[in-house]
Amino acid sequence: MGKGIPGLEQTCHAFFVAALILLAVMVVLCLIRAIIGPRIADRIVAVNMMGTIVMVIIAILAVMLQEGYLADICLIYAMISFLAVIVLTKVYMGVYLEKKQEEEKNDGSV
């Protein structure tokens, strides 16, 4: 990366470090949203965003460190993150529907 142009290596390295710092701050903000989110949907979206940001961090590290295996790890992490969000959504929908049926049953018996 930047073998022919003087100063390009340092510029790319500085850009990658700045991007990694910004993404780390964004992960912390998403974690805060996941903790204090007023609704379950906000928490699920925050977890999904954290997964996406971590994938971008891994991809930047793969380019920065010139390690190809990190791209494979990024793909595996993408699949696991996707499945985690799907499972969280299914659990949330099950709890929501169960609560709704219980409310309807209580309203009908009164």
Side-chain angles (χ1 to χ4, degrees):
M1 183 169 52
K3 300 293 182 201
I5 302 171
L8 186 61
E9 185 79 25
Q10 292 85 12
T11 305
C12 286
H13 188 347
F15 177 74
F16 286 148
V17 169
L20 288 173
I21 291 170
L22 178 67
L23 289 169
V25 170
M26 290 171 60
V27 167
V28 170
L29 292 174
C30 286
L31 182 63
I32 291 170
R33 172 51 73 193
I35 292 171
I36 66 170
R39 294 176 299 203
I40 299 293
D42 295 332
R43 293 183 172 117
I44 292 174
V45 170
V47 168
N48 191 20
M49 282 181 60
M50 283 191 302
T52 304
I53 292 171
V54 168
M55 285 186 292
V56 173
I57 288 172
I58 294 171
I60 289 174
L61 285 173
V63 172
M64 189 173 156
L65 300 175
Q66 297 175 352
E67 298 289 342
Y69 69 90
L70 286 176
D72 297 334
I73 291 172
C74 185
L75 290 172
I76 292 168
Y77 189 83
M79 289 185 280
I80 292 171
S81 176
F82 174 73
L83 287 175
V85 170
I86 294 297
V87 167
L88 284 173
T89 304
K90 284 282 206 183
V91 168
Y92 169 67
M93 289 302 296
V95 169
Y96 173 76
L97 292 175
E98 185 177 299
K99 187 186 288 187
K100 189 174 179 180
Q101 287 175 352
E102 191 174 301
E103 288 176 1
E104 288 176 359
K105 190 169 89 172
N106 289 339
D107 290 341
S109 65
V110 173

